[in-house]
Amino acid sequence: MSETKPNAQKHEFKAEIKQLLEILVHSLYTSREIFLREIISNASDALDKLRFESTRGAEIIDSELPLDISILFDEKNNTITVKDSGIGMTQEELINNIGTIAKSGSSEFIKQLADSASDANNIIGKFGVGFYSVFMVAKEVIIKTKSFKKEEPAIEWSSDGLGDYEISEIKDEIKRGTTIEIHLKDDAKEFAEKYRIESIIKKHSNFISFPIYLENEKVNTISAIWREPKSNITKEQYNEFYKYLTYDSEEPLDVIHISIDAPIQFNSVLFIPKKNQDFFGYNRENYGLDLYVRRVLIQHKNKDLLPEYLGFIKGVVDSEDLPLNISRETLQENIVFTKISNHITSQVFSYLTKLAKDEPEKYKELWKEHNRVFKLGYSDYANMDKYSELLRFNSSFNEKAEDLVSLEEYVSRFKEGQNEIYYAVGNSREAIATDPHLEIFKNKGLEVLYLYDPIDEFVVSSIRKYKEFDFKSVDHIDFNKIDKLKNEKEKTSSLEELSKDDSKQFDSLLAKIKGILGDRVVEVKESQRLSDSAACVVSPDEGFSSSMQKILRMSNKDLTEQKKIFEINKDHKLTRNLLKVFKADSNDEFIKDTVEQLYESALLLEGSLIDPHKLASRINKMLDQSSDWYTSIKKI
Ligand code: ADP
Ligand code: MG
């Protein structure tokens, strides 16, 4: 540890940094090399910022310095030093930037690491953990930096990464930029070896667009690959670039390389990650494409080049036709920028459409990982047709929950006379399979889309139609319209038709049921749609479907419960028995209990039973009674 300098000030690290340091210091051995990636990436950012300032005409000291990064190492003394001629830092910037955790990356990283059971090692590798990762390998770090701004003194910062750091002014002349001198821990000597350093740079920092010199020898070889003709680039080069860009350890699922010369010139390399990188769901801001103008990085993660719902796509865009001194704020108003962005969006749609058609299995993989993001596109009316073609759902015609159908396929299987697309909402295939509303669809041989994801119903309600066909929830259909379609399976009932007199009695029973349920239902009527179940509830024509109501209820607590129609299946054994009891004594308590139970079970099945207590105690009462009957029948 160096001696405290006479004019040095001591500062304590903020709590969250201590917490981060604690995690990093104890992190597993295999991730440690990424400290160099982080330090080099900061150096490259500092150079990008300097280039950005100079294209804007800012006054810059030492303007003759080449923009590069150099790395020195000393095996004897166990040090590695990374030096850049970038933007540098003033004392205030040094305290603000290095003394607190930048919004990018690190703070979310600790938060997630703290409450996730995931393997820290793996996460550290994937994540941009920033400057502090250096303390995985360092027992002391000394930063010397001089800002590009005139008249700012050079500053030295030093710390052992334990609790505090020291800052002092440097009296000697030094040039613009930042030098980071890392004194390695005894167990991290490997990072002062040439071969090791070189291989880390090749692995993680090969695409840095400034030269990196290792003891005066240039190590990074690959330049802006997006500017090269496609045929010059190997799959390995794409993969390597992708890993550099995203920190993903896996290869991408696919790459889209776009080179356009007219009417606007731009190049772009886009990647589809194999895995959804939104690993914890907090990463919502972590999307966007890197925007370059003539190789100068103008903005990291620009959010306007692609719509948010295509944000799972990673990559870079570089144009000759944008002005170099364009400000990030005015980008969106720039016509060339808008044209580039429209062009990229349409290229991505063409790519996805082609993939879905030519390589359905690969498209399925993409869909599985990225559908949650993609579905957010339901309000992009400009691209609605293409968007709809790319949607996938599980359906009653599939064998497994993992299988998918497109709307095009669904429509191609329309039954004679069908002109609507039917869907059912539920948590799983099993849950939907028990939905009594589906019985008539089975009898008619009609395909039903199964919507498992809460956003799915928003999607179909927003897009409303596919081609000229409306989406209809199975609990919210024009019954007569479906009833007119041909039956594929005849409704079979072993029960005899009701006599005229019994039919009348059945009508009175329906009135009785309405009396029992009172205002809770709009109407009680004989069901045409049921074959296996005794009863179900349906939404009246003018209302919302049940699942939509559930969503609305979640977002707006005051929404009054929408009343349903209660339908009874006349040709069900339970109904027939109920009719017998009714004929014998229309006020028998058994009728009331049974009706309440049927009604609440129907609500339960479609997920709208709010309080299950009564249902449970009624079941217990009925079990009590049936156990009596059972033992008496069995004579035990
Ligand atoms: P991030 O790079 O995600 O912002 P880091 O922890 O890596 O987070 O770095 C924190 C900040 O410190 C950077 O945003 C930058 O402002 C500053 N910084 C780090 N290294 C340098 C450097 N070599 N030159 C200039 N500024 C730097
Ligand atoms: Mg960084």
Side-chain angles (χ1 to χ4, degrees):
M1 189 79 230
S2 59
E3 291 280 298
T4 303
K5 298 212 167 65
N7 67 344
Q9 308 166 359
K10 247 190 174 36
H11 296 258
E12 209 180 324
F13 286 124
K14 295 242 162 78
E16 76 267 19
I17 292 188
K18 288 191 186 161
Q19 205 184 341
L20 175 62
L21 285 166
E22 182 74 8
I23 293 168
L24 290 173
V25 165
H26 294 110
S27 76
L28 296 173
Y29 198 73
T30 50
S31 296
R32 300 199 302 176
E33 66 178 38
I34 61 140
F35 86 90
L36 192 56
R37 171 187 83 187
E38 298 297 324
I39 297 295
I40 291 177
S41 118
N42 285 348
S44 166
D45 288 349
L47 289 162
D48 271 323
K49 287 177 194 161
L50 186 88
R51 194 151 63 173
F52 190 69
E53 289 297 336
S54 80
T55 57
R56 280 152 57 111
E59 205 184 328
I60 286 165
I61 64 159
D62 300 325
S63 57
E64 75 293 347
L65 283 183
L67 300 184
D68 58 22
I69 300 168
S70 51
I71 298 175
L72 303 170
F73 56 89
D74 181 341
E75 273 188 84
K76 256 213 249 88
N77 291 312
N78 239 348
T79 63
I80 168 169
T81 301
V82 179
K83 182 170 187 230
D84 68 68
S85 52
I87 198 165
M89 283 176 273
T90 64
Q91 166 149 348
E92 198 188 343
E93 285 165 348
L94 193 53
I95 294 175
N96 288 339
N97 299 344
I98 302 281
T100 50
I101 291 190
K103 59 190 172 316
S104 61
S106 312
S107 60
E108 284 96 339
F109 168 75
I110 328 179
K111 202 166 69 215
Q112 294 305 324
L113 202 57
D115 51 39
S116 105
S118 314
D119 169 12
N121 201 31
N122 191 20
I123 296 171
I124 287 170
K126 277 192 183 160
F127 222 92
V129 282
F131 171 78
Y132 287 95
S133 59
V134 73
F135 288 106
M136 293 192 287
V137 298
K139 57 182 181 206
E140 187 186 11
V141 175
I142 299 166
I143 303 175
K144 292 182 180 145
T145 183
K146 184 157 170 66
S147 166
F148 77 103
K149 294 175 193 154
K150 249 187 170 163
E151 263 135 63
E152 286 289 344
I155 309 290
E156 178 170 323
W157 177 105
S158 64
S159 174
D160 58 6
L162 293 176
D164 43 32
Y165 60 92
E166 259 174 35
I167 282 191
S168 58
E169 258 183 45
I170 301 173
K171 295 288 175 253
D172 311 339
E173 262 309 288
I174 69 164
K175 297 241 178 217
R176 183 196 74 221
T178 304
T179 303
I180 303 200
E181 190 180 302
I182 300 161
H183 295 259
L184 294 163
K185 293 180 185 171
D186 292 342
D187 67 355
K189 284 194 166 110
E190 57 184 304
F191 300 111
E193 286 162 22
K194 180 168 188 222
Y195 171 75
R196 185 77 170 100
I197 300 172
E198 194 173 342
S199 75
I200 300 172
I201 296 172
K202 283 232 176 336
K203 181 164 165 201
H204 296 293
S205 310
N206 213 8
F207 290 91
I208 293 285
S209 53
F210 301 94
I212 302 175
Y213 296 102
L214 182 56
E215 306 267 333
N216 295 327
E217 218 176 281
K218 190 169 171 227
V219 245
N220 57 330
T221 45
I222 300 159
S223 57
I225 75 164
W226 57 89
R227 290 178 148 247
E228 308 261 327
K230 275 178 241 188
S231 52
N232 281 7
I233 305 168
T234 63
K235 186 163 180 262
E236 284 65 39
Q237 283 175 308
Y238 279 127
N239 289 348
E240 232 187 286
F241 179 57
Y242 168 76
K243 289 179 186 174
Y244 157 73
L245 196 70
T246 59
Y247 293 163
D248 198 347
S249 52
E250 274 191 274
E251 289 171 8
L253 185 73
D254 216 345
V255 48
I256 314 169
H257 192 154
I258 310 168
S259 302
I260 303 285
D261 284 323
I264 294 170
Q265 191 285 335
F266 75 91
N267 291 302
S268 173
V269 171
L270 306 176
F271 295 99
I272 316 283
K274 246 186 206 148
K275 290 265 148 47
N276 172 10
Q277 294 190 330
D278 181 10
F279 3 88
F280 303 112
Y282 65 86
N283 231 356
R284 276 199 69 150
E285 282 303 301
N286 186 26
Y287 72 95
L289 305 177
D290 290 349
L291 175 66
Y292 290 78
V293 174
R294 291 170 230 171
R295 289 175 197 243
V296 177
L297 180 67
I298 301 293
Q299 195 180 14
H300 257 308
K301 301 197 196 303
N302 175 288
K303 309 260 188 288
D304 301 306
L305 282 162
L306 274 180
E308 185 179 358
Y309 65 93
L310 297 175
F312 58 90
I313 293 173
K314 313 280 170 188
V316 300
V317 177
D318 189 348
S319 173
E320 298 274 332
D321 292 345
L322 283 167
L324 252 177
N325 60 355
I326 194 164
S327 81
R328 289 162 203 180
E329 293 70 37
T330 56
L331 268 178
Q332 264 175 291
E333 291 146 31
N334 183 294
I335 291 180
V336 175
F337 178 83
T338 311
K339 285 190 178 156
I340 294 176
S341 120
N342 288 342
H343 205 105
I344 294 177
T345 307
S346 103
Q347 292 263 337
V348 167
F349 267 111
S350 317
Y351 159 81
L352 292 171
T353 308
K354 191 164 164 1
L355 185 72
K357 188 162 157 278
D358 299 346
E359 296 179 74
E361 279 309 307
K362 197 161 172 182
Y363 183 72
K364 193 168 153 182
E365 257 180 80
L366 182 154
W367 179 258
K368 293 245 147 96
E369 279 305 317
H370 304 298
N371 74 79
R372 305 255 1 221
V373 180
F374 182 77
K375 284 173 189 165
L376 296 172
Y378 62 79
S379 54
D380 182 2
Y381 297 107
N383 290 303
M384 198 42 75
D385 291 348
K386 291 179 225 157
Y387 170 85
S388 308
E389 296 293 354
L390 291 167
L391 290 171
R392 294 293 180 271
F393 300 96
N394 189 224
S395 109
S396 58
F397 278 23
N398 289 135
E399 281 180 14
K400 299 189 297 273
E402 300 78 59
D403 296 343
L404 298 170
V405 301
S406 66
L407 295 172
E408 190 187 12
E409 272 173 273
Y410 179 100
V411 166
S412 74
R413 293 196 283 247
F414 265 4
K415 287 281 167 314
E416 204 186 314
Q418 182 183 357
N419 61 4
E420 292 170 328
I421 298 171
Y422 301 107
Y423 67 87
V425 176
N427 290 333
S428 66
R429 210 172 153 85
E430 292 70 32
I432 295 178
T434 61
D435 184 347
H437 298 108
L438 286 180
E439 289 170 11
I440 181 160
F441 291 89
K442 284 180 203 146
N443 292 336
K444 302 280 179 188
L446 292 168
E447 181 167 9
V448 175
L449 300 177
Y450 289 175
L451 276 45
Y452 306 126
D453 187 343
I455 193 183
D456 286 340
E457 199 171 20
F458 267 120
V459 173
V460 298
S461 326
S462 311
I463 67 176
R464 293 203 352 256
K465 279 173 188 293
Y466 167 71
K467 301 203 164 134
E468 68 269 34
F469 312 114
D470 287 326
F471 287 98
K472 289 274 171 186
S473 171
V474 293
D475 72 336
H476 201 208
I477 45 170
D478 175 354
F479 182 74
N480 293 327
K481 200 164 168 179
I482 294 191
D483 201 33
K484 277 195 215 112
L485 303 178
K486 220 165 63 215
N487 272 350
E488 217 155 73
K489 203 169 89 193
E490 281 312 315
K491 254 174 115 176
T492 47
S493 170
S494 52
L495 302 171
E496 281 174 26
E497 286 267 311
L498 286 183
S499 68
K500 229 186 188 158
D501 187 44
D502 277 353
S503 282
K504 263 203 201 127
Q505 291 282 0
F506 179 70
D507 289 341
S508 316
L509 174 61
L510 292 181
K512 170 82 188 174
I513 296 173
K514 170 71 174 116
I516 293 169
L517 296 175
D519 282 346
R520 284 177 282 168
V521 293
V522 212
E523 190 189 349
V524 176
K525 65 177 192 189
E526 178 185 342
S527 183
Q528 307 296 330
R529 75 184 78 215
L530 296 176
S531 45
D532 304 328
S533 307
C536 72
V537 287
V538 296
S539 304
D541 284 345
E542 64 281 5
F544 292 110
S545 76
S546 306
S547 47
M548 208 56 188
Q549 287 174 57
K550 244 185 291 167
I551 294 174
L552 291 173
R553 223 181 294 135
M554 279 190 280
S555 52
N556 173 8
K557 293 192 187 77
D558 295 336
L559 189 82
T560 46
E561 186 70 14
Q562 185 185 301
K563 286 181 197 166
K564 304 273 169 75
I565 299 168
F566 188 43
E567 292 193 356
I568 305 289
N569 179 1
K570 190 168 68 176
D571 299 321
H572 193 278
K573 204 170 117 222
L574 177 58
T575 314
R576 295 295 173 92
N577 284 338
L578 210 53
L579 190 61
K580 276 187 206 160
V581 178
F582 179 72
K583 285 198 302 193
D585 172 5
S586 66
N587 287 322
D588 195 316
E589 272 295 297
F590 179 79
I591 299 174
K592 186 167 177 299
D593 278 350
T594 308
V595 167
E596 290 283 358
Q597 192 62 29
L598 277 174
Y599 176 64
E600 290 203 339
S601 304
L603 290 181
L604 180 74
L605 270 186
E606 61 149 39
S608 50
L609 181 66
I610 290 166
D611 180 2
H613 285 95
K614 286 191 196 149
L615 177 107
S617 65
R618 217 180 295 111
I619 290 178
N620 288 339
K621 178 176 156 192
M622 290 180 155
L623 281 175
D624 243 12
Q625 293 168 345
S626 64
S627 66
D628 279 343
W629 293 321
Y630 191 74
T631 45
S632 69
I633 291 165
K634 284 264 183 172
K635 302 195 172 57
I636 44 179

